[in-house]
Amino acid sequence: MAFSDLFTIEPLSFHLNLIFKLVLSCVLGGIIGYEREHTNRPAGFRTHILVCVGSALVMVTSEYIFRSYHNQTNIDPARLGAQVISGIGFLGAGTIIREGFSVKGLTTAASLWAVSCVGIAAGIGFYEGAVIATVLIYITLIMLKKMEDSFSKNSAYRAIHIQSMDKPGQIAAISSIFDKNGIPVKRIEFINEENEKNLSIKILAKIPSKLGSKNVISDLHSVEGIYKVYEE
């Protein structure tokens, strides 16, 4: 059998449907990937497209196998898709990064898992579900992020930025200020500086209203080596 004959086994409608499914999954994955790329996340535009198109191809292949062999043996058309859902975890784990006491990349890992499900839906022909899910995922990543930031600003937690010399015992000295005032710290982020001698820290802490952020900032300024403290 010639290689060209492989494309004549199935009717033209099958090939057009195949192209539509893969192109649709490419577009839908690209929409989610664009948002991740725009915010400089570990998995961006191309990664999301590849995951979505690959997931769609798995479902198209699963459907093709089922149509070809369902009269000869028992075949579960959802089996390959189930492996995609569980197997995408290794890729999502690669986007999760631990920085100090905080963990980043969970949202990107979740978006990769969700976009693989979008690809599965597009691949099996459930176009309404794929498109609606893409819209909801995009809204979650864009609009709800702003809402989440708004909630954070209105909560009792305050983001304190500290720029200091990087020297032994400096973190302990900073922590002692919060401990002395009985301030619970929710998260500490270490931000990379071009100058290795400097240390940039973002601390999310629940500062009591009676104490006030200004008093905490004043206490932090008293620590030797700290040259800038401000509230976000």
Side-chain angles (χ1 to χ4, degrees), residues 79-223:
R79 184 175 182 180
L80 291 179
Q83 299 304 311
V84 171
I85 295 175
S86 60
I88 198 66
F90 84 94
L91 192 59
T95 67
I96 300 174
I97 304 170
R98 184 182 179 91
E99 293 185 359
F101 294 95
S102 64
V103 177
K104 292 185 176 182
L106 290 174
T107 302
T108 301
S111 71
L112 281 172
W113 182 85
V115 88
S116 71
C117 297
V118 169
I120 289 173
I124 202 64
F126 184 31
Y127 306 125
E128 298 90 338
V131 172
I132 293 172
T134 300
V135 172
L136 291 176
I137 294 169
Y138 192 80
I139 290 175
T140 300
L141 293 174
I142 295 292
M143 296 185 178
L144 296 189
K145 177 65 168 64
K146 296 179 181 178
M147 189 181 298
E148 188 179 60
D149 292 341
S150 177
F151 289 155
S152 180
K153 289 180 181 178
N154 294 329
S155 68
Y157 286 95
R158 296 289 182 265
I160 305 296
H161 291 263
I162 302 171
Q163 293 182 357
S164 166
M165 293 178 59
D166 188 4
K167 61 179 184 178
Q170 192 70 347
I171 301 299
I174 293 171
S175 299
S176 66
I177 299 296
F178 290 91
D179 292 338
K180 180 184 70 174
N181 291 288
I183 301 173
V185 175
K186 182 179 181 180
R187 185 170 68 242
I188 300 177
E189 295 182 15
F190 295 91
I191 304 170
N192 294 330
E193 290 278 349
E194 293 183 1
N195 187 347
E196 295 181 356
K197 295 182 180 180
N198 293 335
L199 186 65
S200 184
I201 308 171
K202 178 181 177 182
I203 299 178
L204 190 64
K206 192 171 186 178
I207 301 176
S209 56
K210 63 179 181 180
L211 179 62
S213 302
K214 292 183 179 179
N215 292 326
V216 177
I217 291 174
S218 177
D219 288 346
L220 288 169
H221 272 298
S222 66
V223 177

Side-chain angles (χ1 to χ4, degrees), residues 8 20 26 46-47 51 57 60 73 81 85-86 91 100 108 110 112 133-134 150 181 218 232:
T8 61
F20 176 78
C26 179
R46 292 183 299 171
T47 304
V51 169
L57 180 60
V60 171
T73 183
I85 295 175
S86 60
L91 192 59
T108 301
L112 281 172
T134 300
S150 177
N181 291 288
S218 177
E232 188 176 87

Side-chain angles (χ1 to χ4, degrees), residues 1-126:
M1 179 185 295
F3 180 78
S4 59
D5 293 338
L6 294 174
F7 296 94
T8 61
I9 295 175
E10 296 290 342
L12 180 62
S13 59
F14 172 83
H15 299 298
L16 292 177
N17 190 34
L18 170 63
I19 293 171
F20 176 78
K21 288 178 178 179
L22 296 182
V23 171
L24 177 64
S25 64
C26 179
V27 172
L28 297 180
I31 291 173
I32 307 302
Y34 171 78
E35 190 280 333
R36 296 284 86 189
E37 186 81 29
H38 185 67
T39 52
N40 297 316
R41 299 304 177 185
F45 187 65
R46 292 183 299 171
T47 304
H48 280 75
I49 288 177
L50 290 173
V51 169
C52 200
V53 172
S55 301
L57 180 60
V58 164
M59 287 311 295
V60 171
T61 303
S62 183
E63 181 186 15
Y64 179 82
I65 294 173
F66 178 76
R67 290 170 62 249
S68 300
Y69 299 100
H70 73 279
N71 291 326
Q72 302 176 33
T73 183
N74 293 327
I75 296 177
D76 181 7
R79 184 175 182 180
L80 291 179
Q83 299 304 311
V84 171
I85 295 175
S86 60
I88 198 66
F90 84 94
L91 192 59
T95 67
I96 300 174
I97 304 170
R98 184 182 179 91
E99 293 185 359
F101 294 95
S102 64
V103 177
K104 292 185 176 182
L106 290 174
T107 302
T108 301
S111 71
L112 281 172
W113 182 85
V115 88
S116 71
C117 297
V118 169
I120 289 173
I124 202 64
F126 184 31

